[in-house]
Amino acid sequence: MIRLEHSRERFDGLPLPEVGGQPRPTGSVTVHLTSAGRYSEEVSVTMRDLPVDNRVAVLSSIPDELGRFRRRHSFAIRLD
């Protein structure tokens, strides 16, 4: 899992999805919901298939090119 640096501060106060619990295949862009406690509003990208978690909502997905991202590489995700 890749955690987006400063995502909690950047998205603080924005409305979160009300329901989580969707499948999280590789490349899913996710956000932790309020029920996740201190991880609330944290945005991340899955690097492998992960199990359903009711505290996490899937926002979007990244195409198959995700496989080329590895540790220590930096990249940006633009949210429109």
Side-chain angles (χ1 to χ4, degrees), residues 16-24 28-33 42 44 53-60:
L16 293 175
E18 294 182 19
V19 179
Q22 299 87 0
R24 297 184 291 162
S28 295
V29 179
T30 64
V31 63
H32 284 76
L33 304 176
E42 183 172 282
S44 55
D53 185 337
N54 291 332
R55 300 169 299 165
V56 180
V58 175
L59 301 175
S60 187

Side-chain angles (χ1 to χ4, degrees), residues 32 46-47 60 69 72:
H32 284 76
T46 61
M47 295 297 291
S60 187
F69 294 118
R72 303 187 197 280

